[in-house]
Amino acid sequence: FLFLALIGIAFSFYFIGNKKQKMAMSTAKEEAIKQASDAHAVIERIYTALKSAAWRLEYDDHCQVVSARWSEGFRQMLGYQDENDFPNVYEAWADTLHPEDAERVAHILADILHDFEGRQNMVDIEYRCKTKQGEYRWFRIRAQIDRKENGIPFAMTGVFMDIEDEK
C-alpha cells in the first residue's frame, strides 16, 4: 500500500509540476507574442512618420523575381487597399513606373543584380510611380541585396519612400 501511495504522490507532483510548467510556457509565449506585436506597431509608426514602407523581392539563380512581398504601407502609399488591389507580384510595382523612368530603373537594378562579385549591394533610386488615382508621385527606394557565396543574389529587401514633397 505504501508503494502505491508513493507512486500516486510522485505522479501528482509530476502532473502538477507539468501543468505549472505548461502554464509558465504559455505565459512566456503570450508575453513574447505581445512584445513582437508591440515591436511591429513601433516599426509601423516609424515607417508612417518617415513616409516609407517595406518590401522584399526574392530571386532565382538567373536573377528572375520568384517572389514579391509588398507591405500594407507600401500599397497604401500608392492608393491601394490590399493584395486584391495590388498583388504580391513584381509586375504590380513595375507597371506603375513612369514611362520616362522605367528603362532607367530596370537598367540600374539589372546592373546591381548582375554584379556577381558583390561590389554593389545597395540600391538607391528615385523615380515616379502611378498611384491608383492615376497621378504620378516621386518615390525613392533604398535596399540591400542579399547574395549567395557565389555572388548570385537571392533577395532584395528595402524601403519605399514618398519624396513628392521634396521634388
Side-chain angles (χ1 to χ4, degrees):
F1 178 73
L2 181 60
F3 177 71
L4 291 176
L6 291 174
I7 290 176
I9 292 170
F11 274 119
S12 294
F13 280 122
Y14 172 77
F15 286 118
I16 290 170
N18 197 17
K19 185 175 180 180
K20 286 181 180 179
Q21 182 181 7
K22 283 182 182 176
M23 287 175 53
M25 286 175 39
S26 177
T27 302
K29 182 178 178 183
E30 289 171 8
E31 181 61 27
I33 290 170
K34 182 184 179 316
Q35 287 177 358
S37 178
D38 291 347
H40 179 74
V42 168
I43 290 169
E44 288 301 317
R45 289 185 62 78
I46 291 169
Y47 280 137
T48 301
L50 295 173
K51 295 176 19 176
S52 64
W55 55 273
R56 180 175 171 89
L57 300 174
E58 294 177 355
Y59 298 90
D60 64 15
D61 287 346
H62 305 287
C63 299
Q64 299 300 306
V65 176
V66 295
S67 172
R69 291 186 224 144
W70 314 116
S71 68
E72 181 180 329
F74 184 100
R75 288 183 177 93
Q76 289 174 353
M77 290 171 74
L78 290 171
Y80 296 94
Q81 297 301 312
D82 55 32
E83 196 173 340
N84 294 322
D85 258 358
F86 195 89
N88 278 328
V89 295
Y90 177 77
E91 293 76 15
W93 167 77
D95 290 346
T96 69
L97 293 174
H98 191 285
E100 293 176 9
D101 298 333
E103 188 175 331
R104 175 179 56 84
V105 170
H107 282 299
I108 292 170
L109 290 175
D111 287 348
I112 293 170
L113 289 170
H114 289 94
D115 173 22
F116 300 131
E117 293 178 15
R119 292 182 308 263
Q120 301 178 68
N121 287 317
M122 297 298 293
V123 175
D124 189 348
I125 311 171
E126 293 182 1
Y127 56 87
R128 291 163 288 180
C129 282
K130 189 175 190 177
T131 66
K132 185 176 181 179
Q133 295 74 25
E135 68 179 0
Y136 282 97
R137 291 184 61 82
W138 281 96
F139 293 94
R140 179 181 186 183
I141 58 170
R142 296 199 69 185
Q144 171 73 43
I145 306 286
D146 297 314
R147 297 180 185 276
K148 298 177 183 179
E149 286 185 28
N150 62 3
I152 295 176
F154 65 87
M156 183 184 326
T157 306
V159 293
F160 180 74
M161 297 170 277
D162 184 337
I163 60 168
E164 180 69 23
D165 294 341
E166 298 171 22
K167 290 291 185 178

